[in-house]
Amino acid sequence: MANGQWYPPEWPERIRALAAGELIPVTPRRAATVMLLKDTADGPAVHMLRRRASMAFAGGAYAYPGGGVDPRDDDHHVRWAGPTRAWWADRLGVDETAAQAIVCAAVRETYEEAGVLLAGPAPDAVVGDTTGAGWEADRAALVARDLSFAEFLDRRGLVLRSDLLGAWTRWITPEFEARRYDTFFFVAALPAGQRTRNASTEADRTVWIAPREAAAGYDRGELLMMPPTIATLRQLTPYGTAAEALAAAPDRDLTPVLATARLVDGEILLSWPGHDEFTKHIPTAPTAPTGGAPA
């Protein structure tokens, strides 16, 4: 493989089973991930984490902080600032309950995995340093689901700052994948006074890296990534500051990107609409043991 595209070895078999009507797609779970940016002398850098090699899904791949929606993320008691839930529902293409859950998941997961909290004591303020024993205890309780995000905000007297997020893109895991997510990607700037850390049990490394540099590492085959990750990195490269990227978010198209697999000239063609670089040609019959994995 010339680049760093993560490609599960079981995909060809699952694609063939789907094409033959032998595989029933699972319902995707809603999720959110955040491209956290900070300005440097050379332009914005994005915070990325490397998933542990032992992870069953995308082990060793670089990604952004994020994860699935907690059923309690739609709690109506969540303290809220910024655009209304109705505004977010229209922007994300979901109902108001789902919109709150998705935005809450983005903020909660960023705090759980990076130690950065997009919330403040007032609608026009944001917390400073979130390190320390008390903050860590609350973060651990959130990770363990012993504490809901609404309860956490109430305990701290904080309001969620939805205005610090910009919805960027939406990707849905292909129908042939065993673990499926309907993931909303957001951009946000690192709040003043806060700092990132590797707070995720799923990551063995975190980095601040320029999107262009990360994309170049992927192209050289040095950094492993899933299609949504490298696609969004390439989309971030034109912006000279974090503020520019955030300003561009409202005009971004949130039409879901969903990979398709179809039979073409005796082989399975795997493609992501609008992202030709990820196209894969897969034999309709399994390759011989000595033939290697399909490319």
Side-chain angles (χ1 to χ4, degrees), residues 236-280:
L236 288 173
T237 57
Y239 302 100
T241 66
E244 287 181 12
L246 279 165
D251 293 326
R252 293 280 309 169
D253 183 6
L254 294 187
T255 301
V257 179
L258 173 64
T260 61
R262 64 184 191 277
L263 286 172
V264 178
D265 296 330
E267 65 180 3
I268 297 172
L269 179 65
L270 173 61
S271 61
W272 280 258
H275 300 273
D276 292 341
E277 70 168 299
F278 306 129
T279 299
K280 294 285 184 182

Side-chain angles (χ1 to χ4, degrees), residues 34-255:
V34 176
M35 300 178 287
L36 194 62
L37 304 173
K38 73 173 181 179
D39 291 325
T40 73
D42 298 319
V46 62
H47 181 70
M48 304 190 75
L49 53 84
R50 184 177 66 186
R51 294 173 59 83
R52 294 184 184 279
S54 59
M55 297 295 294
F57 182 78
Y62 281 79
Y64 312 113
V69 167
D70 182 330
R72 296 171 298 177
D73 284 334
D74 62 4
D75 192 317
H76 69 280
H77 296 302
V78 169
R79 298 188 180 194
W80 192 273
T84 66
R85 292 164 176 79
W87 184 94
W88 278 107
D90 182 66
R91 177 72 181 111
L92 302 179
V94 297
D95 60 38
E96 291 188 32
T97 299
Q100 175 178 293
I102 293 163
V103 171
C104 281
V107 176
R108 176 181 51 74
E109 287 286 343
T110 302
Y111 181 55
E112 290 182 8
E113 297 197 338
V116 170
L117 183 59
L118 303 177
D124 58 352
V126 67
V127 296
D129 187 5
T130 59
T131 59
W135 285 104
E136 176 56 26
D138 283 349
R139 192 198 64 79
L142 285 169
V143 172
R145 301 296 181 258
D146 294 332
L147 182 68
S148 74
F149 194 59
E151 293 168 336
F152 165 70
L153 293 176
D154 283 343
R155 176 182 296 183
R156 290 281 177 176
L158 300 174
V159 294
L160 181 151
R161 290 285 306 275
S162 75
D163 56 314
L164 299 181
L165 287 169
W168 192 261
T169 192
R170 179 182 180 183
W171 286 64
I172 301 178
T173 309
E175 291 183 333
F176 47 81
E177 177 56 61
R179 301 181 182 184
R180 300 190 66 208
Y181 296 93
D182 180 356
T183 304
F184 292 80
F185 287 71
F186 296 85
V187 289
L190 178 69
Q194 294 195 39
R195 59 190 182 202
T196 57
R197 58 194 175 90
N198 184 8
S200 173
T201 58
E202 298 180 353
D204 60 11
R205 184 189 183 208
T206 61
V207 296
W208 280 103
I209 187 170
R212 183 172 285 103
E213 181 183 345
Y218 167 90
D219 290 336
R220 293 192 299 267
E222 298 170 358
L223 301 182
L224 193 67
M225 299 179 198
M226 292 177 280
T229 309
I230 180 58
T232 48
L233 281 172
R234 297 201 197 283
Q235 292 162 358
L236 288 173
T237 57
Y239 302 100
T241 66
E244 287 181 12
L246 279 165
D251 293 326
R252 293 280 309 169
D253 183 6
L254 294 187
T255 301

Side-chain angles (χ1 to χ4, degrees), residues 13-26 175-178:
E13 181 180 350
R14 294 187 64 85
I15 291 171
R16 285 189 286 268
L18 180 66
E22 301 168 354
L23 179 68
I24 299 176
V26 299
E175 291 183 333
F176 47 81
E177 177 56 61

